[in-house]
Amino acid sequence: MKSNVKVIALHGAYGSGKDAVGAAISDLLRERGISCYNKKFGSAVKRCVWALTGEPMKVVDDKSYDWPVFDYTRDQKALELPGLNTTIGGLLQTFATDVVRNQIHPDTWIHVLKAEIESPDFMSEVGEGPAAVIITDLRFPNEEMWLETVGAIKIKVKRPFMDQVDELLNDGRSRDHLSEQDLLDIDFDHVIVNDSSLENLEDKAYKLASSFEWED
């Protein structure tokens, strides 16, 4: 990892507000002249599911980051897959963890993301100025261990009353799945509690991001 690049990783159950916090941190850092790139362990998972289902991802945010962010929308994740007895969201969970992590290698998605952010093309895009790679889907201890080796800032986003959120995110994913549980008891560098409005959550993210420093 280049010395001018800081890695910021976010953990939290689905619906906790990880992506909103990541985008808010990016907005504040970009105001300070720091380039920001959203990366996910799950991006390669979604590309595989795209190939399996033919359901393409969409650009969901082309303003908060200096690189287009492709993802499945909430409506897409709720899409039923005829004959497979699951949804796009359910397939993402099962394929990423139960198939690839458990049957191939638990470090597969780490390997893919590491190769991506160390690639010559990405390093050329980043350049020599200060930059942040913001990872919004930290889930597993081995991911956390790799992030430790690159000096990442690890943030947990907590949202009370997640049982109410489940009803809002009825897309086939399970809050009881291993991918939503494995890091719940790990110590984080910072914790942000999402217990009010989106504006309040963004204010908390801005305040935290204002404390981040880059070496000259």
Side-chain angles (χ1 to χ4, degrees), residues 56-216:
M57 293 178 283
K58 298 179 180 180
V59 178
V60 295
D61 189 336
D62 59 358
K63 296 180 180 179
S64 293
Y65 297 97
D66 294 280
W67 192 278
V69 178
F70 289 86
D71 205 346
Y72 284 115
T73 65
R74 186 175 300 173
D75 288 342
Q76 284 181 299
K77 288 176 181 176
L79 182 67
E80 293 283 347
L81 298 173
L84 297 183
N85 194 33
T86 189
T87 61
I88 290 285
L91 182 58
L92 288 167
Q93 274 190 334
T94 301
F95 182 77
T97 303
D98 304 337
V99 176
V100 176
R101 279 183 53 91
N102 293 349
Q103 301 298 323
I104 299 177
H105 198 285
D107 290 346
T108 300
W109 307 121
I110 298 172
H111 173 78
V112 175
L113 179 57
K114 182 175 183 291
E116 183 176 345
I117 64 177
E118 292 180 353
S119 69
D121 285 348
F122 185 65
M123 289 295 97
S124 177
E125 169 69 25
V126 169
E128 300 302 322
V133 170
I134 301 176
I135 298 171
T136 55
D137 63 347
L138 167 59
R139 290 188 173 92
F140 292 101
N142 61 328
E143 296 169 351
E144 189 260 348
M145 290 174 63
W146 171 68
L147 288 164
E148 282 283 340
T149 69
V150 298
I153 298 170
K154 294 169 295 179
I155 304 167
K156 181 171 183 175
V157 183
K158 296 178 64 174
R159 187 174 185 179
F161 314 115
M162 286 302 295
D163 56 329
Q164 297 177 16
V165 178
D166 276 342
E167 297 177 3
L168 298 175
L169 299 180
N170 185 21
D171 60 12
R173 288 178 291 171
S174 170
R175 186 156 56 92
D176 295 326
H177 191 267
L178 183 63
S179 62
E180 299 293 343
Q181 298 292 323
D182 231 7
L183 278 178
L184 293 181
D185 296 323
I186 297 294
D187 289 332
F188 289 84
D189 299 307
H190 305 279
V191 176
I192 293 179
V193 180
N194 179 10
D195 58 357
S196 184
S197 64
L198 176 60
E199 182 180 22
N200 179 263
L201 179 64
E202 291 173 340
D203 286 343
K204 292 177 179 180
Y206 295 152
K207 182 178 181 180
L208 177 58
S210 66
S211 69
F212 298 157
E213 298 294 339
W214 271 250
E215 296 181 2
D216 294 331

Side-chain angles (χ1 to χ4, degrees), residues 23-40:
I25 289 173
S26 177
D27 284 340
L28 188 284
L29 294 180
R30 291 179 74 197
E31 290 177 6
R32 295 170 54 190
I34 297 165
S35 299
C36 293
Y37 303 88
N38 178 262
K39 298 291 180 180
K40 298 187 179 188

